[in-house]
Amino acid sequence: MAIGGATGYYYYGNYTPVGDVFVVAACLVFLLLMHIAYITKNRTYTIFRLLIFILILAAVSSLGFHFMLSRQHEYSPTLIYILRASYHSFLYFDMYLYVLYIREQMHLSRRTTWQIVVPTGILTIGMIIYEFLSGYFHWGFRIIGDDEAIENFNLFPIGYILLALVIIYLLVRYRKRLYKQVMTGVFGASILAFAILFLQEKFDQSSYTVGTYILPAFAVMYMMHSHPYNLEMGAVDSSAFDELVKFSYKRKRELLMMTLLLVNLEEEGKPYPEKIKETVRRFAGEYFKGATLFQLSNGRQVLVADKAKNPNYENTINSILNGFDEEYPKYRMPFKIMIIHSDEEISFERDYVGLIHFMESKMKNNEVRFVTDEDIREYQKHKYVLTELLDICKTGNPNDPRVHVYCQPVLNIATQTYDTAEALMRIVLPDAGMVYPDVFIPLAEENRIIHQLTLIILHKTCEQIRTMMEQGYRIVRISVNISAQELREDCFCLDISSVIRKTGIPFGKVAIELTESQSEGDFMIMKSKIEELRESGIKFYLDDFGTGYSNFERIMELPFDIIKFDRSMVLAAGSDENSEKMVSHLAQMFSDMNYAVLYEGVETADDENRCVRMEAKYLQGYKYSRPIPIEKLTEYFKKEN
């Protein structure tokens, strides 16, 4: 059926509501999936969700317009004009949202935004204004009787083409910023949409205009916002975790996080027992309202809930922990559980993964820990120290003022003088003050920067040795501690030799302290590196003898000069007569094989007398001096003659 006029006709007889009804249904499914499934919530997500909502309004406006037009004698012409203008306006706005979406997804520059996106927005607003004015002033479409409507000029096809050209231009111009697969999907869907519009025009149809907009949306949803669920675990991929934190931080939402580390499954690729999968799925879905489970690594999950949606979260936590206690006897698998309340600074930096790893490193197996503000402050200091350490190594300054050398003088029993010392590294930072080795050494080893720090302390130690020698002080040697990790560096021997050579001091003035390794591979590396450097005159100490692992056969194979007995041996010898005999016999054995014995941790006169009885050649400890800045060694060392 057509409504005719003197100069044109408006066809509505070829319209069927099926297309618009399908669009509404499809968009509602979109919104439902975006609500119940996990989708990364960011600015592009917000734009896409609005895009889908506007499509619903466009389809509803189209349904209302065509329905009222077919019964125009029953409805006010003004309402029909408004619905028609709204229908076209929503479609204009939807295409502009595609432009905004592309800008966000491709991270277009501010210049591009002002040159293309802003003018496109102005054009869209202008066309929307025209649609409503056109209805008001009857410039194009107008109703001229109870059963008559005429359309002299229709702006919509022109506006559609203009906005489509902008979208195509952006996709082509900045195609390198999108994955090829994404480009293929979006272009393919757009070409199909244009084909449907062409066929619709050819067969005088008007039913599927809004439907063509849903096709690119399908492509965008699948290619850009498909939810990253691990279907077996019911968990979301770790890539989405940071985005949830960012999204919640911007909206000032407080989060509650429960982390679970299954220690035996931490190794990547290790399969989960099916019963554990079922248990994790159940725990993730039964307790907190609207919670999302993230799998950060193979054996590490974190359940995240919005506090506002779970006001009774404390009881919920207790219920989960009680349920876990009931399940644990079935599996007997070591675990670590943490409860973390979102912190503003950690959320701003999106650094919960780092906090989780830090706290786990301090926990014992089968421990449940509620993370406190003090824990977070400790982590912030830890992170600050690591940042500074990395900067020290990146800067590469051998005289970096943040690296300080302290020394503990060593008493020579034979001469009753101080002629050797142990160099000890300290880090002094503006916002943390003095940082001790038990804090920064594990960090440096974990991040494989310990060797760069050693070269700095070695350089500073050698410089001080040279200065003291020039001033006439008698220095036999100063020892520097080396991590076993450093020995694996191919350039280790070359680096050590180069530092000593550049300062111009004799190689024999430097000693290297090493701790025995349990690894057969590390032992062979250690042996070869010691043999290579001993040829230049460097001395070697075996550090911490008597703690943990000691293999006499291996010790005998390594050409050490001095064996350092740990303070635990000093304390053991003081506990009873038999222990003293045992330690004394060990020291005698080393002395007979031309190893000098040095006792660490001597704090009292009784310790001193006992160590002298036990074949001591050198003594070191608080009885003589606490660690002091290396420049103060002149207070202990004597000048030649």
Side-chain angles (χ1 to χ4, degrees):
M1 179 178 179
I3 296 175
T7 58
Y9 294 92
Y10 192 89
Y11 288 90
Y12 63 85
N14 290 333
Y15 171 81
T16 172
V18 172
D20 289 330
V21 171
F22 171 77
V23 169
V24 173
C27 289
L28 289 175
V29 170
F30 267 136
L31 295 176
L32 176 65
L33 291 176
M34 294 170 77
H35 177 70
I36 63 174
Y38 186 82
I39 294 178
T40 301
K41 293 177 176 60
N42 50 26
R43 189 175 176 86
T44 56
Y45 162 84
T46 303
I47 294 173
F48 185 72
R49 188 173 59 175
L50 178 61
L51 188 149
I52 297 300
F53 182 71
I54 295 299
L55 273 183
I56 293 177
L57 295 180
V60 170
S61 299
S62 175
L63 284 168
F65 165 64
H66 286 95
F67 176 78
M68 291 184 184
L69 185 62
S70 66
R71 295 170 174 81
Q72 58 182 270
H73 58 281
E74 301 176 15
Y75 297 96
S76 165
T78 301
L79 184 57
I80 297 175
Y81 291 140
I82 291 173
L83 282 173
R84 182 179 182 276
S86 299
Y87 162 47
H88 286 167
S89 296
F90 284 133
L91 293 181
Y92 291 143
F93 185 51
D94 213 67
M95 294 192 77
Y96 182 65
L97 286 175
Y98 274 114
V99 174
L100 294 181
Y101 185 89
I102 293 170
R103 181 193 67 179
E104 290 297 321
Q105 201 66 261
M106 293 185 172
H107 305 289
L108 300 184
S109 65
R110 182 177 298 180
R111 179 181 178 185
T112 303
T113 299
W114 280 102
Q115 289 181 343
I116 298 175
V117 179
V118 171
T120 304
I122 295 172
L123 173 65
T124 303
I125 293 172
M127 291 189 297
I128 291 173
I129 292 173
Y130 172 83
E131 290 289 346
F132 282 95
L133 291 178
S134 174
Y136 182 79
F137 291 109
H138 309 309
W139 290 337
F141 172 82
R142 67 182 185 274
I143 296 170
I144 58 177
D146 286 345
D147 288 317
E148 290 185 289
I150 190 170
E151 184 166 48
N152 295 321
F153 174 71
N154 185 3
L155 177 67
F156 179 74
I158 299 173
Y160 181 95
I161 292 172
L162 289 175
L163 292 172
L165 287 175
V166 173
I167 294 171
I168 292 171
Y169 170 78
L170 290 174
L171 289 173
V172 173
R173 174 67 177 81
Y174 300 102
R175 61 188 179 279
K176 292 183 179 180
R177 301 192 184 188
L178 282 180
Y179 292 115
K180 183 179 179 181
Q181 292 87 340
V182 174
M183 286 291 297
T184 303
V186 174
F187 266 122
S190 300
I191 291 171
L192 184 58
F194 295 149
I196 291 174
L197 279 176
F198 174 78
L199 292 173
Q200 177 178 262
E201 186 69 21
K202 182 175 179 62
F203 293 103
D204 294 326
Q205 264 286 346
S206 59
S207 306
Y208 302 104
T209 302
V210 183
T212 60
Y213 283 70
I214 204 71
L215 297 178
F218 271 117
V220 169
M221 178 74 174
Y222 183 80
M223 301 301 293
M224 308 300 291
H225 297 283
S226 56
H227 62 81
Y229 270 109
N230 177 328
L231 296 180
E232 291 187 345
M233 294 296 295
V236 183
D237 189 272
S238 60
S239 61
F241 179 60
D242 283 352
E243 288 297 336
L244 174 62
V245 171
K246 179 181 177 182
F247 181 82
S248 300
Y249 174 75
K250 286 185 175 180
R251 286 156 180 77
K252 300 188 181 302
R253 295 180 182 174
E254 291 189 65
L255 300 177
L256 180 71
M257 306 174 195
M258 290 192 71
T259 73
L260 170 64
L261 171 64
L262 297 174
V263 178
N264 292 352
L265 300 177
E266 191 173 8
E267 183 181 340
E268 198 62 37
K270 202 161 187 178
Y272 273 69
E274 190 60 40
K275 289 185 178 180
I276 290 184
K277 292 179 185 177
E278 294 174 3
T279 303
V280 171
R281 285 196 297 266
R282 178 163 57 83
F283 272 70
E286 287 186 0
Y287 291 92
F288 285 112
K289 181 180 179 182
T292 303
L293 181 69
F294 296 88
Q295 187 162 1
L296 302 184
S297 62
N298 194 62
R300 185 178 288 103
Q301 292 88 27
V302 55
L303 184 65
V304 183
D306 190 328
K307 277 189 181 180
K309 296 179 181 178
N310 297 274
N312 200 26
Y313 65 82
E314 292 181 351
N315 291 335
T316 305
I317 290 172
N318 291 330
S319 298
I320 292 177
L321 294 178
N322 291 335
F324 189 86
D325 287 340
E326 294 175 4
E327 293 290 334
Y328 177 72
K330 299 178 184 178
Y331 311 110
R332 296 288 177 184
M333 185 173 289
F335 67 86
K336 295 179 183 180
I337 292 177
M338 274 183 290
I339 294 88
I340 305 172
H341 296 266
S342 58
D343 174 84
E344 185 171 355
E345 189 170 351
I346 301 291
S347 295
F348 174 74
E349 296 173 351
R350 286 179 282 169
D351 196 27
Y352 285 101
V353 174
L355 174 64
I356 290 168
H357 282 281
F358 172 73
M359 294 304 302
E360 286 174 349
S361 69
K362 300 173 59 178
M363 295 170 63
K364 299 177 181 178
N365 284 347
N366 301 339
E367 180 182 348
V368 176
R369 182 153 183 168
F370 288 78
V371 177
T372 64
D373 292 342
E374 180 61 32
D375 291 325
I376 291 176
R377 283 193 292 271
E378 186 180 350
Y379 171 64
Q380 294 287 21
K381 179 180 177 181
H382 159 93
K383 190 168 65 169
Y384 168 68
V385 171
L386 176 58
T387 301
E388 290 292 314
L389 290 176
L390 292 171
D391 185 66
I392 289 170
C393 296
K394 180 181 178 181
T395 303
N397 178 11
N399 294 304
D400 196 302
R402 291 169 289 186
V403 180
H404 289 235
V405 183
Y406 275 60
C407 275
Q408 194 168 28
V410 175
L411 178 66
N412 186 326
I413 299 297
T415 64
Q416 287 297 303
T417 61
Y418 300 99
D419 52 18
T420 64
E422 177 184 4
L424 303 166
M425 191 188 317
R426 300 288 187 266
I427 304 295
V428 179
L429 303 175
D431 295 339
M434 179 79 74
V435 183
Y436 292 93
D438 62 326
V439 173
F440 68 79
I441 293 296
L443 277 176
E445 290 183 335
E446 182 181 344
N447 291 274
R448 305 192 65 82
I449 57 175
I450 186 66
H451 184 53
Q452 291 93 318
L453 295 177
T454 295
L455 295 179
I456 294 175
I457 189 176
L458 177 62
H459 167 79
K460 291 193 172 189
T461 300
C462 292
E463 289 286 340
Q464 182 62 23
I465 291 173
R466 184 181 66 185
T467 299
M468 291 178 66
M469 288 176 64
E470 291 172 350
Q471 293 171 352
Y473 288 92
R474 182 175 184 271
I475 299 179
V476 174
R477 75 184 73 89
I478 296 180
S479 63
V480 176
N481 287 277
I482 298 293
S483 167
Q485 183 187 101
E486 297 180 64
L487 298 174
R488 304 187 195 115
E489 302 282 346
D490 293 337
C491 59
F492 174 77
C493 292
L494 180 62
D495 288 344
I496 298 295
S497 299
S498 176
V499 170
I500 300 173
R501 186 177 295 110
K502 286 179 181 178
T503 57
I505 65 172
F507 277 72
K509 298 296 182 183
V510 175
I512 289 177
E513 295 195 20
L514 295 168
T515 303
E516 187 182 359
S517 173
Q518 297 184 37
S519 165
E520 180 68 28
D522 284 348
F523 168 76
M524 297 306 298
I525 292 172
M526 180 183 292
K527 183 179 179 181
S528 66
K529 296 295 172 66
I530 291 176
E531 290 173 347
E532 182 177 345
L533 287 175
R534 279 189 102 247
E535 293 179 2
S536 63
I538 296 175
K539 304 297 183 181
F540 283 86
Y541 293 13
L542 174 62
D543 197 12
D544 296 334
F545 177 77
T547 60
Y549 175 86
S550 290
N551 186 315
F552 284 98
E553 181 181 355
R554 286 186 175 177
I555 292 174
M556 297 304 103
E557 287 189 48
L558 296 172
F560 288 112
D561 298 283
I562 293 178
I563 307 296
K564 295 185 71 171
F565 278 41
D566 186 73
R567 171 160 172 77
S568 62
M569 302 286 278
V570 177
L571 293 174
S575 63
D576 58 65
E577 186 177 343
N578 288 333
S579 297
E580 181 176 339
K581 286 181 180 179
M582 182 188 69
V583 175
S584 183
H585 285 314
L586 285 172
Q588 180 68 56
M589 178 188 67
F590 283 120
S591 295
D592 291 344
M593 292 186 295
N594 297 319
Y595 292 98
V597 174
L598 185 158
Y599 286 94
E600 294 184 280
V602 178
E603 297 185 357
T604 65
D606 288 341
D607 288 343
E608 180 183 66
N609 294 333
R610 189 166 51 252
C611 291
V612 170
R613 292 197 303 268
M614 296 188 301
E615 300 294 326
K617 295 295 188 293
Y618 298 98
L619 296 177
Q620 177 182 347
Y622 284 179
K623 182 181 185 303
Y624 313 107
S625 173
R626 290 179 176 272
I628 57 174
I630 193 171
E631 295 79 12
K632 291 189 176 183
L633 279 181
T634 55
E635 299 175 7
Y636 290 82
F637 281 46
K638 303 293 184 182
K639 288 192 176 184
E640 300 277 4
N641 299 325

